[in-house]
Amino acid sequence: VNENAELEIGAGAIFKLNQSNSYNLYVQGTFKANGTSANPIIFTSYRDDSVGGNTNGGSEFEEGQPGDWYRLYFNGAEPGSYMTHCELRYGGYNNYQLLADTNSHLSINNCTITDGYRDGVYIGTSSNVSITNGSITNNGRYGLYVDATSRPAVSGVTISGNSTSSVNIPAELLEDYLASNSIETGKWVYSSGGIVSEDTTWPSIGSAWYRITDTVTVTEGSKLTFASGTRFYQPARIIVNENAELEIGAGAIFKLN
């Protein structure tokens, strides 16, 4: 979908996809996917007999597998783009994500994103994205990865069953995301680092550990608080600038290398 062009998809549409291209949908224009709860729009594997029956001539009741097709890729998608009541299953071939977004405007509402080979949703640089309700589950690495330069609004989303961690998100978003969504913490919660420019608290996540994969910088006039009992495993650098503050609660553990 080129710039200044538009693709609109109606409720109940089904796309059974394979590994023929490095992306199965590439959007620079406007994308509108109008599914409903009764008739979602489904992007799935060519082998998935659970929707639309046996269309590839394989064995009956065949199931899709992670990596059976590539991804949906939004690269500079224009304002007004949205996905409502969509299901994405079994993508991520060649180590890609099911849905990837860079420098785009996109609203994702009541969507199910599941069984991807790598990340369920990847939000790249400078994206204006919102994700509301729905679920991101059972993907091969992170459920949701957010680049340190992006601040997508995410609320009401269930993120669970993903192999490495439910999320890898910027430091400034952790407090809000953990409070506003149902995020399975498992063993690890990852942060991609970034700038902390307002007062932020990382809560205790029980027996799980925070893993910081890139530098966290607390800027002037801001405070980052690690609540009592928080745990950190091999964190990257934490920089506290002049006139900024880092507060660490009782019982916090840092395992360093």
Side-chain angles (χ1 to χ4, degrees):
V1 183
N2 288 338
E3 294 181 21
N4 302 314
E6 181 176 323
L7 173 63
E8 183 169 352
I9 303 172
I14 300 172
F15 296 82
K16 292 194 172 185
L17 305 166
N18 61 18
Q19 303 163 350
S20 60
N21 294 288
S22 60
Y23 40 78
N24 296 93
L25 177 71
Y26 181 84
V27 178
Q28 291 182 302
T30 303
F31 180 75
K32 298 179 179 179
N34 296 296
T36 67
S37 57
N39 291 291
I41 296 168
I42 298 175
F43 299 87
T44 190
S45 163
Y46 67 99
R47 298 192 287 186
D48 184 359
D49 294 346
S50 69
V51 289
N54 184 353
T55 48
N56 71 318
S59 60
E60 291 294 328
F61 309 114
E62 191 173 10
E63 297 181 353
Q65 297 296 322
D68 273 352
W69 57 283
Y70 274 90
R71 59 178 173 166
L72 308 188
Y73 183 31
F74 297 84
N75 184 16
E78 295 168 348
S81 295
Y82 62 84
M83 301 173 63
T84 299
H85 288 290
C86 295
E87 297 181 12
L88 281 65
R89 315 172 181 175
Y90 304 123
Y93 177 67
N94 203 25
N95 218 27
Y96 279 117
Q97 311 85 13
L98 260 172
L99 188 153
D101 180 283
T102 301
N103 194 31
S104 293
H105 293 77
L106 180 65
S107 176
I108 302 169
N109 307 301
N110 291 290
C111 291
T112 298
I113 299 168
T114 188
D115 293 300
Y117 185 83
R118 187 171 168 86
D119 303 333
V121 177
Y122 177 95
I123 307 298
T125 57
S126 304
S127 288
N128 187 353
V129 174
S130 65
I131 308 174
T132 307
N133 302 323
S135 62
I136 307 172
T137 60
N138 301 325
N139 296 286
R141 191 177 69 152
Y142 306 120
L144 173 64
Y145 178 93
V146 178
D147 183 84
T149 64
S150 291
R151 297 291 184 271
V154 180
S155 63
V157 180
T158 296
I159 309 176
S160 64
N162 302 283
S163 292
T164 300
S165 174
S166 290
V167 294
N168 190 344
I169 55 180
E172 203 167 70
L173 298 180
L174 267 167
E175 179 180 11
D176 176 61
Y177 279 26
L178 289 169
S180 302
N181 301 279
S182 177
I183 296 177
E184 178 186 66
T185 55
K187 185 177 182 180
W188 313 112
V189 171
Y190 279 71
S191 172
S192 52
I195 303 296
V196 174
S197 58
E198 59 184 41
D199 292 353
T200 301
T201 298
W202 288 18
S204 171
I205 47 178
S207 61
W209 296 79
Y210 288 111
R211 299 198 69 170
I212 305 171
T213 59
D214 208 341
T215 301
V216 173
T217 302
V218 187
T219 60
E220 182 179 0
S222 302
K223 178 181 179 180
L224 174 60
T225 301
F226 296 149
S228 297
T230 47
R231 299 178 171 196
F232 297 83
Y233 184 77
Q234 295 183 354
R237 291 186 301 172
I238 301 171
I239 298 174
V240 184
N241 287 344
E242 293 183 18
N243 301 314
E245 183 177 339
L246 173 65
E247 182 174 338
I248 302 174
I253 300 172
F254 294 79
K255 290 195 173 183
L256 307 168
N257 63 3

